Amino acid sequence: MTFATATIGGWHMNRLSVAGAIISLFLAATPAVAQQASRCADCHFAQNTVPNPDHLYDWDRSPHARNNVGCEKCHGGNATVFEASIAHRGILNPANKQSPVNRANLPATCGGCHVGPFVAFQDSRHYELLKGGDQHGPTCSTCHDPVAGQLLSPKALEKQCSQCHGPKEVAPRAERARNARQMYESLNAIRDQLKLANAMIKRVDDKQRRADLMNEYEQASVPMTRAINAGHKFVYGELDEYLKVAQERVEKLMAHIANRAN
Ligand code: HEC
Ligand code: HEC
Ligand code: HEC
Ligand code: HEC
Ligand code: HEC
C-alpha cells in the first residue's frame, strides 16, 4: 500500500517535471517578446544612472513581470520606443499630485486591475484620509510594495498596522493590529484546509466523483476571495462573515471526501 502510493507519487512527480520543463521552455522564449512589448524595462536595466534600481529587480521577480504588467501600466508613457524623451512623454515624478503612482492616486491605478480590493478600500477610513490629502494613512503600496505585489503574513501585517496604530502613533486603537493578525491567521487556516482538500481530490480515481468534489471545492473558494477583498475595509465584520461561510463549506467538503474512503 505504501509502495503503491510512493509509485503514484513518483509518477506524479515525473509528470510535473515534464510539465516544468515545457513551462521553462515557454518562459525562456517569452522574455524577448515581453521586452519588445515594453522598451522601458530594456533601457532601465541597461543604464546604471536610472533612479531606484531595487524597484527594477523587485519588478523583475514579481507576479507583475510574470504577467506582462509592464512599467507603463503604472507610470504611463510610451513603451514602444527606445528614445527616452519620447518614452517619457507624460511621465511624472511620483511626488507630483497628477502622477498615477502618487500615493493618493495608487488605489485608482492599481484598482484598474484589482477591482475587488479597490471597491472595498473605497469604504475605508484610510481612503478618506488619502482623498483628503492626509499623509498619515496607508495606500496600496504600504502593504504590497510599490511594484512587487507582495502579500504580508499575518504577523508582518500586524507589525504594519502597529506602525500607525498604537499609543504613541498617528492613529489610536492598538487592538486594530492584533485583530488583523487573528483574522488573517483564521483565513490562512482555512486556506490550508482548502489546499489539503484540493490535493486529496486530485487523488480520487472516479472521474465523475472527482468532478463533483472539484465543483464543491470551487464553491468553497468563492467566499475566500470575497473575504480577502472585504479585508480592504480594515473593519473585519464582513470578512469574518465570509470566512464562516468558507469554513462551513470546507468542513462539508472534507466530510464528503472522507465518506468514500471508509
Ligand atoms: C532609452 C532609455 C529609456 C527609456 C526607453 C525609458 N527610460 Fe525612464 N529613465 C531613463 C533614464 C536615463 C532616467 C533618469 C534620468 C531622467 O529622469 O531622464 C529615467 C527616469 C525615469 C523615471 C523617473 C522620473 C522622475 O521624475 O523621477 C521614471 C518613472 C521612468 N523613467 C519610467 C519609464 C517608463 C515607464 C518608460 C517606458 C514607458 C521609460 N522610463 C522608458 C531611461 C529610459
Ligand atoms: C505596479 C505598479 C508599478 C510598476 C509595474 C512599475 N512601477 Fe515604478 N513606481 C511605482 C510606484 C508606486 C512608485 C513610487 C515610488 C515609491 O512609492 O517608492 C514607482 C517609482 C518608480 C521610480 C522612481 C522615481 C523617483 O524619482 O522616485 C522609477 C525610476 C520607476 N518607478 C521606474 C519603473 C520602471 C522602469 C518600471 C518597469 C521595469 C516600473 N517602474 C514599474 C509603481 C510601479
Ligand atoms: C493595510 C494593508 C493593506 C493595504 C493598504 C492594502 N492591502 Fe491589499 N491585501 C492586504 C492583505 C492582508 C491581503 C490578503 C493577504 C493574503 O491573502 O494572505 C491583501 C490582498 C490583496 C490582493 C490579493 C487578492 C487575492 O485575491 O489574492 C490584491 C490584488 C490586493 N490586496 C490589492 C490591493 C490594492 C489595489 C490596494 C489599494 C487599493 C490594497 N491592496 C491595499 C493588505 C492591504
Ligand atoms: C495592468 C494591470 C495591473 C496593475 C495596474 C497592477 N496589477 Fe497587481 N497584478 C496584476 C496581475 C495580472 C497579477 C498576477 C495575477 C494575479 O495574481 O492576479 C497581479 C498580482 C498582484 C498581487 C499578488 C496577488 C497574489 O494573489 O499573489 C498583488 C498584491 C498586486 N498585484 C498588487 C498591486 C498593486 C499594489 C498595484 C499598484 C501599485 C498593482 N497590483 C497594479 C495586474 C495589475
Ligand atoms: C500608514 C499608517 C497606517 C497603517 C499602516 C494602518 N493604518 Fe489604520 N488608520 C491610520 C490613520 C491615520 C487612521 C485615522 C485615525 C483617525 O480616524 O483618527 C486610521 C484609521 C483606521 C480605522 C478607522 C478608525 C477606527 O479605528 O475605527 C481602522 C478600522 C483602521 N485604521 C484599521 C487598520 C488596520 C487593521 C491596519 C492594518 C491592516 C491599519 N489600519 C493600518 C493609519 C494607518
Side-chain angles (χ1 to χ4, degrees):
M1 189 56 204
T2 314
F3 177 72
T5 314
T7 311
I8 291 167
W11 175 83
H12 198 60
M13 280 311 287
N14 283 338
R15 285 293 290 249
L16 279 179
S17 314
V18 172
I22 294 169
I23 290 167
S24 310
L25 276 176
F26 177 69
L27 285 179
T30 40
V33 179
Q35 277 168 17
Q36 266 180 3
S38 179
R39 288 298 180 86
C40 323
D42 286 353
C43 181
H44 276 248
F45 270 110
Q47 305 234 0
N48 45 22
T49 54
V50 294
N52 208 346
D54 283 349
H55 184 71
L56 281 182
Y57 293 106
D58 289 343
W59 174 78
D60 202 35
R61 286 189 296 257
S62 75
H64 289 135
R66 284 197 296 280
N67 288 277
N68 233 336
V69 177
C71 323
E72 72 286 357
K73 296 280 168 39
C74 292
H75 289 279
N78 181 341
T80 65
V81 295
F82 206 72
E83 170 63 56
S85 59
I86 299 173
H88 287 163
R89 212 166 276 164
I91 291 183
L92 299 167
N93 186 276
N96 187 308
K97 287 210 160 63
Q98 303 297 315
S99 164
V101 298
N102 180 275
R103 69 192 310 282
N105 301 328
L106 269 190
T109 302
C110 311
C113 297
H114 301 295
V115 178
F118 180 42
V119 167
F121 192 80
Q122 284 170 301
D123 267 352
S124 72
R125 173 82 180 117
H126 293 156
Y127 186 70
E128 246 173 54
L129 294 170
L130 267 183
K131 284 288 123 184
D134 188 296
Q135 297 292 314
H136 296 301
T139 184
C140 312
S141 59
T142 311
C143 299
H144 297 298
D145 182 84
V147 73
Q150 69 177 11
L151 297 178
L152 295 173
S153 70
K155 249 188 163 165
L157 185 70
E158 177 180 31
K159 218 171 149 199
Q160 190 66 262
C161 310
S162 304
Q163 307 232 313
C164 304
H165 289 272
K168 288 184 187 154
E169 309 301 343
V170 291
R173 284 182 281 269
E175 71 275 15
R176 291 294 184 199
R178 228 165 20 248
N179 187 223
R181 174 171 54 77
Q182 284 160 358
M183 282 295 164
Y184 285 94
E185 277 169 358
S186 309
L187 189 138
N188 278 348
I190 300 173
R191 186 147 54 191
D192 286 346
Q193 283 175 289
L194 273 167
K195 261 190 213 148
L196 180 64
N198 187 289
M200 287 163 86
I201 292 167
K202 288 196 171 132
R203 286 166 164 258
V204 170
D205 287 328
D206 184 76
K207 216 173 152 188
Q208 183 56 48
R209 191 171 127 73
R210 195 167 62 230
D212 289 346
L213 288 170
M214 197 44 94
N215 183 39
E216 209 180 323
Y217 166 83
E218 272 151 22
Q219 293 305 313
S221 303
V222 170
M224 290 296 279
T225 303
R226 298 209 170 126
I228 292 169
N229 289 343
H232 290 85
K233 294 181 178 179
F234 311 103
V235 180
Y236 296 122
E238 198 183 321
L239 177 147
D240 201 28
E241 288 302 308
Y242 285 127
L243 280 192
K244 281 188 185 123
V245 176
Q247 178 70 54
E248 257 168 44
R249 290 186 187 173
V250 171
E251 274 165 20
K252 254 192 211 149
L253 172 60
M254 284 304 215
H256 288 162
I257 293 170
N259 269 346
R260 181 58 168 259
N262 296 333

